[in-house]
Amino acid sequence: MTEYSHVEMIAFTGSRVLEDETIVFVGTGLPIVSAVHAQYTHAPGLLMIYEAGSLAPILDMGMPLSVGDTRAARRATFLKGLCGAFELTQRGYADYAFIGGAQIDMYGNVCSTLQGEEYGKPRVRFPGSGGAGAMAANCERTIAIMALEKRRFVKQLDFVTSIGFGDGSPDYREKAGVMGSGPYRVITNQALFGFDEETRRMKLLEVKPGVTPEDVQELVEFELIIPDDVKEMAEPTEEDLRLLREIDSEGYFLKRQFKK
């Protein structure tokens, strides 16, 4: 097995959870890498929406470095600007929202705004929602990616940027006036998570080879649901890694570093 980085594992797993003949609203960075890899492998009919307003571009001029990169408009079937992109989600034309974040709680609510108790004087100011807040509210299912660290998987968010299942009550999203079924997967370097249908709490689905469910729980502030049938995460093959590195040939996203 060829060696791979933690970031490459996230990108590969992101590709793996995407399905053929669906539409994914991608955020900048690893979601784009994952979606392109999925198109090249098991999901040739996967279509991408970019926040700047394009649907299903042909990426024959290289990988877009942001959702506003002009390469993301190349030969698109739909190109009507930012408002047009979000109108597509409101009309039900997005199966997945693929977003990042700085913090996530047990109900899949995501913070990408700040860290700290005071909004005006945060300890850390993050980039903010971008389009992630609207994507999580309107797309059918939300996929989030982040490193598996206790400071990220928290009991209480410092700020709710992108709505998940709220407080976990069955009708929370309906009362909040948002669409879609909510959080679907959380992808990390060491584990893949889903959500329990009844309680809406985060559930451990897969762990990286050599990692135990107990190891994962140690890196999460809240109590996970850990079923008896937790699986091993699939690892990228040499061909998968070749494709990933070809897609992001300059290493803009795949060469980023973070804690294990």
Side-chain angles (χ1 to χ4, degrees), residues 11 17 55 58 89 109 120 123 125 128 136 141 155 178 202 211 227 229:
V17 302
L55 168 64
I58 305 298
T89 69
N109 304 294
R123 291 194 301 276
R125 178 76 69 183
R141 292 176 286 185
K155 291 181 180 179
V178 298
M202 194 179 294
V211 175
D229 58 347

Side-chain angles (χ1 to χ4, degrees), residues 15-210:
S15 167
R16 190 163 57 86
V17 302
L18 294 171
E19 300 171 359
D20 198 14
E21 303 296 333
T22 59
I23 299 175
V24 56
F25 199 141
V26 291
T28 292
L30 290 181
I32 298 175
V33 179
S34 294
V36 175
H37 180 275
Q39 284 184 328
Y40 284 172
T41 53
H42 64 279
L46 178 73
L47 304 180
M48 286 177 269
I49 299 176
Y50 286 82
E51 187 177 337
S54 65
L55 168 64
I58 305 298
L59 302 180
D60 55 3
M61 295 182 70
M63 182 191 69
L65 299 184
S66 74
V67 293
D69 191 321
T70 54
R71 285 174 286 192
R74 172 80 170 167
R75 298 169 66 187
T77 60
F78 176 98
L79 186 60
K80 291 192 175 183
L82 184 146
C83 292
F86 285 103
E87 181 190 356
L88 285 175
T89 69
Q90 292 166 350
R91 293 167 62 191
Y93 291 106
D95 298 292
Y96 300 106
F98 204 158
I99 66 174
Q103 295 178 329
I104 191 167
D105 67 14
M106 72 171 68
Y107 297 117
N109 304 294
V110 173
C111 171
S112 54
T113 301
L114 60 86
Q115 186 181 49
E117 297 178 359
E118 293 186 49
Y119 183 86
K121 296 180 180 180
R123 291 194 301 276
V124 181
R125 178 76 69 183
F126 299 119
S129 169
M135 291 159 65
N138 296 321
C139 297
E140 176 58 27
R141 292 176 286 185
T142 301
I143 301 168
I145 54 172
M146 61 185 65
L148 182 59
E149 301 172 1
K150 187 166 284 190
R151 64 183 180 137
R152 297 179 181 274
F153 285 70
V154 297
K155 291 181 180 179
Q156 180 70 45
L157 297 184
D158 292 328
F159 188 93
V160 178
T161 309
S162 302
I163 190 171
F165 291 122
D167 61 7
S169 55
D171 56 355
Y172 186 93
R173 288 181 65 86
E174 182 181 358
K175 287 183 176 179
V178 298
M179 303 167 61
S181 57
Y184 172 61
R185 293 289 185 266
V186 182
I187 299 165
T188 77
N189 50 309
Q190 297 191 62
L192 174 66
F193 303 93
F195 292 86
D196 182 70
E197 291 186 7
E198 291 187 8
T199 66
R200 290 159 178 77
R201 284 174 48 202
M202 194 179 294
K203 177 170 69 173
L204 182 61
L205 300 178
E206 299 177 5
V207 294
K208 183 180 175 181

